[in-house]
Amino acid sequence: FFADLLLQQALPCILHRISVQNLIRIFHAALLCKQVCVASRSPGLTSACVIAVSLLLRPFRWEGLLVPVLPRG
């Protein structure tokens, strides 16, 4: 339930800012367990994008390190 709610909030947010083609590229890289780095000036947008991509992998799970936001520095 919580994952569905999060996906409903996060997915529209990133679809307005990332093209479908780039979202497919990110999804493809995630399915292949490649490293994906998401950068934005907005920590909230960055977190939403990372969480949405990880939830889109269902029924699979991201088994690698998942860090939605890193501090500056």
Side-chain angles (χ1 to χ4, degrees):
F1 171 74
F2 183 69
D4 292 330
L5 184 61
L6 236 133
L7 191 57
Q8 287 176 359
Q9 294 294 321
L11 192 58
C13 181
I14 65 171
L15 285 176
H16 288 289
R17 291 168 175 85
I18 298 175
S19 69
V20 174
Q21 184 174 358
N22 283 336
L23 186 60
I24 290 171
R25 286 180 180 157
I26 293 168
F27 183 66
H28 183 252
L31 281 174
L32 295 174
C33 296
K34 302 285 185 183
Q35 292 181 356
V36 178
C37 180
V38 179
S40 171
R41 291 185 178 144
S42 167
L45 180 60
T46 305
S47 294
C49 183
V50 170
I51 291 168
V53 170
S54 69
L55 292 174
L56 283 172
L57 292 175
R58 289 187 299 170
F60 305 109
R61 288 181 31 203
W62 181 257
E63 293 294 334
L65 180 64
L66 181 69
V67 182
V69 177
L70 290 173
R72 288 187 175 193

